[in-house]
PDB file of all heavy atoms in Angstrom:
ATOM      1  N   GLU N 775      -2.499   4.588  -4.995  1.00  0.00           N
ATOM      2  CA  GLU N 775      -1.213   3.914  -4.723  1.00  0.00           C
ATOM      3  C   GLU N 775      -0.114   4.950  -4.461  1.00  0.00           C
ATOM      4  O   GLU N 775       0.716   4.767  -3.564  1.00  0.00           O
ATOM      5  CB  GLU N 775      -0.828   2.996  -5.886  1.00  0.00           C
ATOM      6  CG  GLU N 775      -1.848   1.904  -6.212  1.00  0.00           C
ATOM      7  CD  GLU N 775      -1.952   0.808  -5.163  1.00  0.00           C
ATOM      8  OE1 GLU N 775      -1.083   0.718  -4.278  1.00  0.00           O
ATOM      9  OE2 GLU N 775      -2.939   0.043  -5.217  1.00  0.00           O
ATOM     10  N   ALA N 778      -0.638   6.251  -1.043  1.00  0.00           N
ATOM     11  CA  ALA N 778      -0.115   5.300  -0.054  1.00  0.00           C
ATOM     12  C   ALA N 778       1.405   5.429   0.032  1.00  0.00           C
ATOM     13  O   ALA N 778       1.987   5.441   1.128  1.00  0.00           O
ATOM     14  CB  ALA N 778      -0.518   3.876  -0.431  1.00  0.00           C
ATOM     15  N   TYR N 782       3.430   6.458   3.392  1.00  0.00           N
ATOM     16  CA  TYR N 782       4.490   5.634   3.975  1.00  0.00           C
ATOM     17  C   TYR N 782       5.802   6.412   4.076  1.00  0.00           C
ATOM     18  O   TYR N 782       6.578   6.211   5.007  1.00  0.00           O
ATOM     19  CB  TYR N 782       4.682   4.344   3.166  1.00  0.00           C
ATOM     20  CG  TYR N 782       3.637   3.297   3.480  1.00  0.00           C
ATOM     21  CD1 TYR N 782       2.822   2.749   2.490  1.00  0.00           C
ATOM     22  CD2 TYR N 782       3.464   2.840   4.785  1.00  0.00           C
ATOM     23  CE1 TYR N 782       1.865   1.790   2.792  1.00  0.00           C
ATOM     24  CE2 TYR N 782       2.511   1.884   5.094  1.00  0.00           C
ATOM     25  CZ  TYR N 782       1.715   1.359   4.094  1.00  0.00           C
ATOM     26  OH  TYR N 782       0.768   0.407   4.398  1.00  0.00           O
ATOM     27  N   GLN N 804       8.263   0.091   2.056  1.00  0.00           N
ATOM     28  CA  GLN N 804       6.836   0.010   1.724  1.00  0.00           C
ATOM     29  C   GLN N 804       6.444   1.149   0.775  1.00  0.00           C
ATOM     30  O   GLN N 804       5.662   0.955  -0.162  1.00  0.00           O
ATOM     31  CB  GLN N 804       6.001   0.082   3.011  1.00  0.00           C
ATOM     32  CG  GLN N 804       4.534  -0.235   2.816  1.00  0.00           C
ATOM     33  CD  GLN N 804       4.283  -1.656   2.345  1.00  0.00           C
ATOM     34  OE1 GLN N 804       5.001  -2.579   2.718  1.00  0.00           O
ATOM     35  NE2 GLN N 804       3.284  -1.833   1.484  1.00  0.00           N
ATOM     36  N   GLU N 807       7.419   0.173  -2.611  1.00  0.00           N
ATOM     37  CA  GLU N 807       6.509  -0.842  -3.162  1.00  0.00           C
ATOM     38  C   GLU N 807       5.223  -0.214  -3.693  1.00  0.00           C
ATOM     39  O   GLU N 807       4.696  -0.611  -4.719  1.00  0.00           O
ATOM     40  CB  GLU N 807       6.151  -1.879  -2.087  1.00  0.00           C
ATOM     41  CG  GLU N 807       7.162  -2.981  -1.999  1.00  0.00           C
ATOM     42  CD  GLU N 807       6.706  -4.118  -1.098  1.00  0.00           C
ATOM     43  OE1 GLU N 807       5.495  -4.235  -0.799  1.00  0.00           O
ATOM     44  OE2 GLU N 807       7.577  -4.882  -0.668  1.00  0.00           O
ATOM     45  N   GLU N 808       4.725   0.768  -2.941  1.00  0.00           N
ATOM     46  CA  GLU N 808       3.474   1.412  -3.376  1.00  0.00           C
ATOM     47  C   GLU N 808       3.666   2.157  -4.694  1.00  0.00           C
ATOM     48  O   GLU N 808       2.777   2.187  -5.538  1.00  0.00           O
ATOM     49  CB  GLU N 808       2.951   2.362  -2.298  1.00  0.00           C
ATOM     50  CG  GLU N 808       2.593   1.702  -0.979  1.00  0.00           C
ATOM     51  CD  GLU N 808       1.499   0.645  -1.081  1.00  0.00           C
ATOM     52  OE1 GLU N 808       0.881   0.491  -2.148  1.00  0.00           O
ATOM     53  OE2 GLU N 808       1.264  -0.043  -0.080  1.00  0.00           O
ATOM     54  N   HIS N 811       3.396  -0.336  -7.289  1.00  0.00           N
ATOM     55  CA  HIS N 811       1.989  -0.677  -7.548  1.00  0.00           C
ATOM     56  C   HIS N 811       1.370   0.363  -8.486  1.00  0.00           C
ATOM     57  O   HIS N 811       0.676   0.022  -9.443  1.00  0.00           O
ATOM     58  CB  HIS N 811       1.177  -0.713  -6.247  1.00  0.00           C
ATOM     59  CG  HIS N 811       1.601  -1.793  -5.297  1.00  0.00           C
ATOM     60  ND1 HIS N 811       1.097  -1.904  -4.020  1.00  0.00           N
ATOM     61  CD2 HIS N 811       2.482  -2.822  -5.437  1.00  0.00           C
ATOM     62  CE1 HIS N 811       1.651  -2.956  -3.425  1.00  0.00           C
ATOM     63  NE2 HIS N 811       2.495  -3.509  -4.253  1.00  0.00           N
ATOM     64  N   GLU N 852      -4.420   0.456   4.326  1.00  0.00           N
ATOM     65  CA  GLU N 852      -4.436  -0.777   3.523  1.00  0.00           C
ATOM     66  C   GLU N 852      -5.860  -1.306   3.340  1.00  0.00           C
ATOM     67  O   GLU N 852      -6.193  -1.841   2.292  1.00  0.00           O
ATOM     68  CB  GLU N 852      -3.540  -1.858   4.150  1.00  0.00           C
ATOM     69  CG  GLU N 852      -2.058  -1.599   4.027  1.00  0.00           C
ATOM     70  CD  GLU N 852      -1.591  -1.379   2.587  1.00  0.00           C
ATOM     71  OE1 GLU N 852      -2.242  -1.859   1.650  1.00  0.00           O
ATOM     72  OE2 GLU N 852      -0.574  -0.695   2.411  1.00  0.00           O
ATOM     73  N   VAL N 855      -7.382   0.563   0.587  1.00  0.00           N
ATOM     74  CA  VAL N 855      -6.854   0.120  -0.712  1.00  0.00           C
ATOM     75  C   VAL N 855      -7.510  -1.208  -1.099  1.00  0.00           C
ATOM     76  O   VAL N 855      -7.916  -1.400  -2.250  1.00  0.00           O
ATOM     77  CB  VAL N 855      -5.311  -0.018  -0.676  1.00  0.00           C
ATOM     78  CG1 VAL N 855      -4.789  -0.654  -1.961  1.00  0.00           C
ATOM     79  CG2 VAL N 855      -4.654   1.339  -0.467  1.00  0.00           C
ATOM     80  N   PHE N 881      -3.207  -7.999  -7.504  1.00  0.00           N
ATOM     81  CA  PHE N 881      -3.454  -7.008  -6.451  1.00  0.00           C
ATOM     82  C   PHE N 881      -4.365  -7.568  -5.351  1.00  0.00           C
ATOM     83  O   PHE N 881      -4.207  -7.233  -4.181  1.00  0.00           O
ATOM     84  CB  PHE N 881      -4.072  -5.729  -7.047  1.00  0.00           C
ATOM     85  CG  PHE N 881      -3.066  -4.907  -7.805  1.00  0.00           C
ATOM     86  CD1 PHE N 881      -2.904  -5.064  -9.173  1.00  0.00           C
ATOM     87  CD2 PHE N 881      -2.268  -3.982  -7.154  1.00  0.00           C
ATOM     88  CE1 PHE N 881      -1.959  -4.326  -9.867  1.00  0.00           C
ATOM     89  CE2 PHE N 881      -1.319  -3.235  -7.839  1.00  0.00           C
ATOM     90  CZ  PHE N 881      -1.168  -3.405  -9.195  1.00  0.00           C
ATOM     91  N   GLU N 884      -2.086  -9.561  -3.304  1.00  0.00           N
ATOM     92  CA  GLU N 884      -1.113  -8.674  -2.651  1.00  0.00           C
ATOM     93  C   GLU N 884      -1.729  -7.999  -1.420  1.00  0.00           C
ATOM     94  O   GLU N 884      -1.083  -7.830  -0.392  1.00  0.00           O
ATOM     95  CB  GLU N 884      -0.636  -7.616  -3.661  1.00  0.00           C
ATOM     96  CG  GLU N 884       0.261  -6.525  -3.111  1.00  0.00           C
ATOM     97  CD  GLU N 884       1.653  -7.015  -2.726  1.00  0.00           C
ATOM     98  OE1 GLU N 884       1.953  -8.191  -2.943  1.00  0.00           O
ATOM     99  OE2 GLU N 884       2.429  -6.199  -2.194  1.00  0.00           O
ATOM    100  N   GLN N 885      -3.001  -7.632  -1.518  1.00  0.00           N
ATOM    101  CA  GLN N 885      -3.641  -6.950  -0.389  1.00  0.00           C
ATOM    102  C   GLN N 885      -3.774  -7.861   0.832  1.00  0.00           C
ATOM    103  O   GLN N 885      -3.678  -7.396   1.965  1.00  0.00           O
ATOM    104  CB  GLN N 885      -5.011  -6.377  -0.800  1.00  0.00           C
ATOM    105  CG  GLN N 885      -4.907  -5.072  -1.575  1.00  0.00           C
ATOM    106  CD  GLN N 885      -3.981  -4.052  -0.925  1.00  0.00           C
ATOM    107  OE1 GLN N 885      -2.964  -3.687  -1.499  1.00  0.00           O
ATOM    108  NE2 GLN N 885      -4.300  -3.597   0.279  1.00  0.00           N
ATOM    109  N   GLU N 888      -0.386  -7.620   2.331  1.00  0.00           N
ATOM    110  CA  GLU N 888      -0.101  -6.304   2.918  1.00  0.00           C
ATOM    111  C   GLU N 888      -0.823  -6.144   4.261  1.00  0.00           C
ATOM    112  O   GLU N 888      -0.243  -5.675   5.231  1.00  0.00           O
ATOM    113  CB  GLU N 888      -0.552  -5.190   1.961  1.00  0.00           C
ATOM    114  CG  GLU N 888       0.154  -5.242   0.634  1.00  0.00           C
ATOM    115  CD  GLU N 888       1.081  -4.064   0.389  1.00  0.00           C
ATOM    116  OE1 GLU N 888       0.590  -2.935   0.356  1.00  0.00           O
ATOM    117  OE2 GLU N 888       2.281  -4.286   0.228  1.00  0.00           O
TER     118      GLU N 888
HETATM  119 FE1  FEO K1737      -0.613  -0.921  -2.947  1.00  0.00          FE
HETATM  120 FE2  FEO K1737      -0.431  -1.264   0.114  1.00  0.00          FE
HETATM  121  O1  FEO K1737      -1.469  -1.168  -1.384  1.00  0.00           O
END
Side-chain angles (χ1 to χ4, degrees):
E775 301 290 347
Y782 281 123
Q804 190 63 34
E807 274 189 18
E808 298 299 352
H811 295 173
E852 288 305 335
V855 172
F881 286 93
E884 174 70 3
Q885 281 312 116
E888 300 247 298

